[in-house]
Amino acid sequence: MASEAIQKLVSAQDGIAHRVERRRENERKASELSSEDDADQLVDFACECKSADCERTVTVPLYVYRRIVDAHDQYLLRAGHHAFASYRTILEVGLTRIEARI
């Protein structure tokens, strides 16, 4: 029973580490771009979920992603196939959702 709890804890920690790494990758990508790089200012960012096997991307305007990051980790950028009760959807366009922690 204790080993099952340890496995869940390790899995949760791995998921958080994955999400943090995805956020860092997205922040690096955003910092390398300028608003003039794309006429539509649309950028493919990695889904910022905790699932290590998720390879989905989320296409949003660069300014939207920068506003998400400026909100001090209050928001996550996730593909629409993820849904968690502890978040509320701020914006949903197709399969793209911007969610805030409750």
Side-chain angles (χ1 to χ4, degrees), residues 10-22:
V10 168
S11 178
Q13 289 174 336
D14 289 346
I16 291 168
H18 178 74
R19 182 170 62 200
V20 167
E21 181 56 31
R22 284 289 179 93

Side-chain angles (χ1 to χ4, degrees), residues 22 45-51 54-60 76-85 87-99:
R22 284 289 179 93
F45 291 104
C47 179
E48 295 177 351
C49 68
K50 292 191 284 185
S51 178
C54 178
E55 296 298 325
R56 294 199 182 196
T57 59
V58 182
T59 304
V60 296
L76 295 172
L77 184 65
R78 297 189 306 198
H81 66 291
H82 300 291
F84 297 100
Y87 291 86
R88 66 183 173 90
T89 301
I90 301 295
L91 173 68
E92 185 171 0
V93 179
L95 293 177
T96 301
R97 286 185 187 169
I98 297 173
E99 298 180 333

Side-chain angles (χ1 to χ4, degrees), residues 33 37-45 59-62:
L33 298 173
D37 285 339
D38 186 328
D40 294 329
Q41 299 179 357
L42 295 175
V43 181
D44 289 330
F45 291 104
T59 304
V60 296
L62 184 57

